[in-house]
CSV table of all heavy atoms in Angstrom, one decimal:
chain,number,residue,atom,x,y,z
A,147,SER,N,42.0,-30.8,71.8
A,147,SER,CA,42.5,-30.5,70.5
A,147,SER,C,42.3,-29.1,70.1
A,147,SER,O,41.4,-28.8,69.4
A,147,SER,CB,41.8,-31.4,69.5
A,147,SER,OG,42.2,-31.2,68.2
A,148,PRO,N,43.2,-28.2,70.6
A,148,PRO,CA,43.0,-26.7,70.3
A,148,PRO,C,43.0,-26.4,68.8
A,148,PRO,O,42.3,-25.5,68.4
A,148,PRO,CB,44.2,-26.1,71.0
A,148,PRO,CG,44.7,-27.1,72.0
A,148,PRO,CD,44.3,-28.4,71.4
A,149,LEU,N,43.7,-27.2,68.0
A,149,LEU,CA,43.7,-26.9,66.6
A,149,LEU,C,42.3,-27.2,66.0
A,149,LEU,O,41.8,-26.4,65.2
A,149,LEU,CB,44.8,-27.7,65.9
A,149,LEU,CG,44.9,-27.5,64.4
A,149,LEU,CD1,45.3,-26.0,64.1
A,149,LEU,CD2,45.9,-28.4,63.8
A,150,LEU,N,41.7,-28.3,66.4
A,150,LEU,CA,40.4,-28.6,66.0
A,150,LEU,C,39.4,-27.4,66.4
A,150,LEU,O,38.5,-27.0,65.6
A,150,LEU,CB,39.9,-29.9,66.6
A,150,LEU,CG,38.5,-30.3,66.4
A,150,LEU,CD1,38.2,-30.6,64.9
A,150,LEU,CD2,38.1,-31.4,67.2
A,151,THR,N,39.6,-27.0,67.7
A,151,THR,CA,38.7,-25.9,68.2
A,151,THR,C,38.9,-24.7,67.3
A,151,THR,O,37.9,-24.0,67.0
A,151,THR,CB,39.0,-25.6,69.6
A,151,THR,OG1,39.0,-26.8,70.4
A,151,THR,CG2,38.2,-24.6,70.2
A,152,PHE,N,40.1,-24.3,67.1
A,152,PHE,CA,40.4,-23.1,66.4
A,152,PHE,C,39.8,-23.1,64.9
A,152,PHE,O,39.3,-22.1,64.4
A,152,PHE,CB,41.9,-22.8,66.3
A,152,PHE,CG,42.3,-21.4,65.8
A,152,PHE,CD1,42.0,-20.3,66.5
A,152,PHE,CD2,42.8,-21.3,64.5
A,152,PHE,CE1,42.3,-19.1,66.0
A,152,PHE,CE2,43.1,-20.1,64.0
A,152,PHE,CZ,42.9,-18.9,64.7
A,153,THR,N,39.9,-24.3,64.3
A,153,THR,CA,39.5,-24.3,62.9
A,153,THR,C,38.0,-24.6,62.7
A,153,THR,O,37.4,-24.3,61.7
A,153,THR,CB,40.3,-25.4,62.1
A,153,THR,OG1,40.1,-26.7,62.8
A,153,THR,CG2,41.8,-25.1,62.1
A,154,SER,N,37.4,-25.2,63.8
A,154,SER,CA,36.0,-25.6,63.6
A,154,SER,C,35.0,-25.0,64.6
A,154,SER,O,33.9,-25.5,64.7
A,154,SER,CB,35.9,-27.1,63.6
A,154,SER,OG,36.3,-27.6,64.8
A,155,ILE,N,35.5,-24.1,65.4
A,155,ILE,CA,34.7,-23.5,66.5
A,155,ILE,C,33.4,-23.0,66.0
A,155,ILE,O,32.3,-23.1,66.6
A,155,ILE,CB,35.5,-22.5,67.3
A,155,ILE,CG1,34.7,-22.3,68.6
A,155,ILE,CG2,35.7,-21.2,66.6
A,155,ILE,CD1,35.5,-21.5,69.6
A,156,HIS,N,33.4,-22.4,64.8
A,156,HIS,CA,32.2,-21.8,64.2
A,156,HIS,C,31.1,-22.8,64.1
A,156,HIS,O,30.0,-22.6,64.5
A,156,HIS,CB,32.6,-21.2,62.9
A,156,HIS,CG,31.5,-20.7,62.1
A,156,HIS,ND1,30.9,-21.5,61.1
A,156,HIS,CD2,30.7,-19.6,62.1
A,156,HIS,CE1,29.8,-20.9,60.6
A,156,HIS,NE2,29.8,-19.7,61.2
A,157,TYR,N,31.4,-24.0,63.5
A,157,TYR,CA,30.4,-25.0,63.3
A,157,TYR,C,30.0,-25.7,64.6
A,157,TYR,O,28.8,-25.9,64.8
A,157,TYR,CB,31.0,-26.1,62.3
A,157,TYR,CG,31.3,-25.5,61.0
A,157,TYR,CD1,32.7,-25.3,60.7
A,157,TYR,CD2,30.4,-25.0,60.1
A,157,TYR,CE1,33.0,-24.8,59.4
A,157,TYR,CE2,30.7,-24.4,58.9
A,157,TYR,CZ,32.0,-24.3,58.6
A,157,TYR,OH,32.4,-23.7,57.4
A,158,PHE,N,30.9,-26.0,65.5
A,158,PHE,CA,30.5,-26.6,66.8
A,158,PHE,C,29.6,-25.6,67.5
A,158,PHE,O,28.6,-26.0,68.1
A,158,PHE,CB,31.8,-26.8,67.6
A,158,PHE,CG,32.5,-28.1,67.4
A,158,PHE,CD1,33.9,-28.0,67.3
A,158,PHE,CD2,31.9,-29.3,67.2
A,158,PHE,CE1,34.6,-29.2,67.0
A,158,PHE,CE2,32.6,-30.4,66.9
A,158,PHE,CZ,34.0,-30.4,66.8
A,159,ALA,N,30.1,-24.4,67.6
A,159,ALA,CA,29.3,-23.4,68.4
A,159,ALA,C,27.9,-23.1,67.8
A,159,ALA,O,27.0,-23.1,68.5
A,159,ALA,CB,30.1,-22.1,68.4
A,160,SER,N,27.8,-23.0,66.5
A,160,SER,CA,26.5,-22.7,65.9
A,160,SER,C,25.5,-23.8,66.1
A,160,SER,O,24.4,-23.7,66.6
A,160,SER,CB,26.7,-22.5,64.4
A,160,SER,OG,27.5,-21.4,64.1
A,161,ALA,N,26.0,-25.1,65.8
A,161,ALA,CA,25.1,-26.2,66.0
A,161,ALA,C,24.7,-26.4,67.5
A,161,ALA,O,23.6,-26.7,67.8
A,161,ALA,CB,25.8,-27.5,65.4
A,162,TYR,N,25.7,-26.3,68.3
A,162,TYR,CA,25.4,-26.5,69.7
A,162,TYR,C,24.5,-25.4,70.3
A,162,TYR,O,23.6,-25.7,71.2
A,162,TYR,CB,26.7,-26.7,70.6
A,162,TYR,CG,26.4,-27.4,71.9
A,162,TYR,CD1,25.9,-28.6,71.9
A,162,TYR,CD2,26.5,-26.7,73.1
A,162,TYR,CE1,25.6,-29.3,73.1
A,162,TYR,CE2,26.2,-27.3,74.3
A,162,TYR,CZ,25.7,-28.6,74.3
A,162,TYR,OH,25.4,-29.2,75.4
A,163,LEU,N,24.7,-24.2,69.9
A,163,LEU,CA,23.8,-23.1,70.4
A,163,LEU,C,22.4,-23.4,69.9
A,163,LEU,O,21.4,-23.1,70.7
A,163,LEU,CB,24.3,-21.8,69.9
A,163,LEU,CG,25.5,-21.2,70.6
A,163,LEU,CD1,26.0,-19.9,69.9
A,163,LEU,CD2,25.3,-20.9,72.0
A,164,ILE,N,22.2,-23.9,68.8
A,164,ILE,CA,20.8,-24.2,68.3
A,164,ILE,C,20.3,-25.3,69.1
A,164,ILE,O,19.1,-25.3,69.6
A,164,ILE,CB,20.8,-24.6,66.8
A,164,ILE,CG1,21.2,-23.4,66.0
A,164,ILE,CG2,19.5,-25.2,66.4
A,164,ILE,CD1,21.4,-23.7,64.5
A,165,LEU,N,21.1,-26.3,69.5
A,165,LEU,CA,20.6,-27.4,70.3
A,165,LEU,C,20.3,-27.0,71.7
A,165,LEU,O,19.3,-27.4,72.3
A,165,LEU,CB,21.6,-28.6,70.4
A,165,LEU,CG,21.7,-29.4,69.1
A,165,LEU,CD1,22.8,-30.5,69.3
A,165,LEU,CD2,20.4,-30.2,68.9
A,166,LEU,N,21.1,-26.1,72.3
A,166,LEU,CA,20.9,-25.5,73.6
A,166,LEU,C,19.6,-24.7,73.6
A,166,LEU,O,18.8,-24.8,74.6
A,166,LEU,CB,22.0,-24.7,74.1
A,166,LEU,CG,23.3,-25.4,74.5
A,166,LEU,CD1,24.4,-24.5,74.9
A,166,LEU,CD2,23.0,-26.4,75.7
A,167,GLY,N,19.4,-24.0,72.6
A,167,GLY,CA,18.1,-23.2,72.4
A,167,GLY,C,16.9,-24.1,72.4
A,167,GLY,O,15.9,-23.8,73.1
A,168,ILE,N,17.0,-25.1,71.6
A,168,ILE,CA,15.8,-26.1,71.6
A,168,ILE,C,15.6,-26.7,72.9
A,168,ILE,O,14.5,-26.9,73.4
A,168,ILE,CB,16.1,-27.2,70.5
A,168,ILE,CG1,16.0,-26.5,69.1
A,168,ILE,CG2,15.1,-28.3,70.6
A,168,ILE,CD1,16.5,-27.4,68.0
A,169,ASP,N,16.7,-27.1,73.6
A,169,ASP,CA,16.6,-27.7,74.9
A,169,ASP,C,15.9,-26.7,75.9
A,169,ASP,O,15.0,-27.0,76.7
A,169,ASP,CB,18.0,-28.1,75.5
A,169,ASP,CG,17.9,-28.7,76.9
A,169,ASP,OD1,17.1,-29.6,77.1
A,169,ASP,OD2,18.7,-28.3,77.8
A,170,SER,N,16.3,-25.4,75.9
A,170,SER,CA,15.7,-24.4,76.7
A,170,SER,C,14.2,-24.2,76.4
A,170,SER,O,13.4,-24.1,77.3
A,170,SER,CB,16.4,-23.1,76.6
A,170,SER,OG,17.7,-23.1,77.1
A,171,MET,N,13.9,-24.2,75.1
A,171,MET,CA,12.5,-24.1,74.8
A,171,MET,C,11.6,-25.3,75.2
A,171,MET,O,10.5,-25.2,75.7
A,171,MET,CB,12.3,-23.8,73.3
A,171,MET,CG,12.8,-22.5,72.9
A,171,MET,SD,12.4,-22.0,71.2
A,171,MET,CE,13.6,-23.0,70.3
A,172,VAL,N,12.2,-26.5,75.1
A,172,VAL,CA,11.5,-27.7,75.5
A,172,VAL,C,11.3,-27.6,77.0
A,172,VAL,O,10.2,-28.0,77.6
A,172,VAL,CB,12.2,-29.0,75.1
A,172,VAL,CG1,11.8,-30.2,75.9
A,172,VAL,CG2,12.2,-29.2,73.6
A,173,THR,N,12.3,-27.2,77.8
A,173,THR,CA,12.2,-27.1,79.2
A,173,THR,C,11.2,-26.1,79.6
A,173,THR,O,10.4,-26.3,80.5
A,173,THR,CB,13.6,-26.8,79.8
A,173,THR,OG1,14.5,-27.8,79.5
A,173,THR,CG2,13.5,-26.6,81.3
A,174,ALA,N,11.1,-24.9,78.9
A,174,ALA,CA,10.2,-23.9,79.2
A,174,ALA,C,8.8,-24.4,79.0
A,174,ALA,O,7.8,-24.0,79.7
A,174,ALA,CB,10.5,-22.7,78.3
A,175,MET,N,8.5,-25.2,78.0
A,175,MET,CA,7.1,-25.7,77.6
A,175,MET,C,6.8,-26.9,78.5
A,175,MET,O,5.6,-27.3,78.5
A,175,MET,CB,7.1,-26.0,76.2
A,175,MET,CG,7.2,-24.9,75.3
A,175,MET,SD,5.9,-23.6,75.6
A,175,MET,CE,6.6,-22.2,74.8
A,176,SER,N,7.7,-27.5,79.3
A,176,SER,CA,7.4,-28.6,80.1
A,176,SER,C,6.7,-28.2,81.4
A,176,SER,O,6.7,-27.0,81.7
A,176,SER,CB,8.7,-29.4,80.4
A,176,SER,OG,9.5,-28.6,81.3
A,177,PRO,N,6.3,-29.1,82.2
A,177,PRO,CA,5.7,-28.7,83.5
A,177,PRO,C,6.7,-28.0,84.4
A,177,PRO,O,6.3,-27.2,85.3
A,177,PRO,CB,5.4,-30.1,84.1
A,177,PRO,CG,5.2,-31.0,83.0
A,177,PRO,CD,6.1,-30.5,81.9
Side-chain angles (χ1 to χ4, degrees):
S147 179
L149 182 59
L150 173 69
T151 305
F152 188 73
T153 58
S154 60
I155 194 168
H156 170 265
Y157 300 108
F158 280 136
S160 300
Y162 198 65
L163 285 172
I164 292 169
L165 286 175
L166 286 176
I168 292 169
D169 180 52
S170 290
M171 289 188 285
V172 167
T173 302
M175 295 300 166
S176 72

